[in-house]
């Protein structure tokens, strides 16, 4: 129903269900809030205790994902969490790259880059 072939490799359903979106206002000068996908490690769901501190991977996707040119959930965070060690032990933070939120800014001419202040 979402336009993808059902055989298309995508983010594991289990990983996606355990994650959530954080919404942040990067800068008042931008028209939209920034969104960041948070994928906790599988070890958090296996423990009955409060989530323990875990290492974090900040995944900054490439130019193809800027402003929804390509599906954010394909060829981005989904590839990273296929690694069993990453899925088991790391918190993955994957901000959605948009120029409307301030996560992506323009430099010389039309060159785009991640905003160090926003990220």
């Amino acid at each position: 129903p979402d336009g993808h072939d059902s055989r298309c490799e995508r983010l594991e359903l289990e990983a996606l269900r355990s994650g959530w979106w954080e919404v942040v206002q990067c800068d008042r000068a931008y028209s939209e809030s920034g969104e960041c996908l948070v994928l906790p490690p599988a070890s958090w769901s296996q423990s009955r205790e409060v989530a323990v501190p875990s290492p974090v991977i900040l995944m900054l996707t490439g130019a193809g994902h800027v402003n929804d040119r390509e599906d954010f959930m394909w060829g981005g965070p989904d590839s990273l969490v296929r690694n069993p060690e990453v899925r088991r032990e790391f918190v993955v933070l994957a901000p959605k790259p948009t120029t409307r939120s301030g996560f992506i800014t323009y430099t010389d001419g039309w060159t785009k880059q991640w905003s160090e202040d926003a990220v």
Side-chain angles (χ1 to χ4, degrees):
D2 66 0
H4 281 85
D5 186 326
S6 61
R7 296 166 294 183
C8 177
E9 292 188 41
R10 301 213 34 205
L11 187 60
E12 297 173 9
L13 193 54
E14 176 188 332
L16 186 58
R17 283 186 182 146
S18 70
W20 64 90
W21 288 94
E22 287 291 331
V23 177
V24 297
Q25 184 68 45
C26 299
D27 188 319
R28 289 186 206 170
Y30 293 92
S31 61
E32 294 181 7
S33 295
E35 298 175 313
C36 182
L37 179 62
V38 180
L39 299 171
S43 62
W44 283 11
S45 65
Q46 297 167 355
S47 172
R48 292 184 183 265
E49 299 176 16
V50 174
V52 296
S54 299
V56 174
I57 295 175
L58 177 60
M59 173 147 194
L60 303 178
T61 58
H65 292 105
V66 173
N67 294 334
D68 296 320
R69 284 182 36 207
E70 294 176 7
D71 185 347
F72 181 71
M73 293 298 189
W74 190 70
D78 63 320
S79 300
L80 185 59
V81 297
R82 282 195 187 105
N83 179 305
E85 189 72 19
V86 169
R87 182 70 196 106
R88 187 173 44 253
E89 302 296 330
F90 290 82
V91 175
V92 175
L93 301 177
K96 193 169 182 186
T98 64
T99 54
R100 295 175 306 278
S101 69
F103 272 140
I104 300 292
T105 57
Y106 290 97
T107 60
D108 302 326
W110 292 101
T111 305
K112 299 177 191 96
Q113 71 177 19
W114 283 96
S115 169
E116 294 175 10
D117 293 332
V119 173

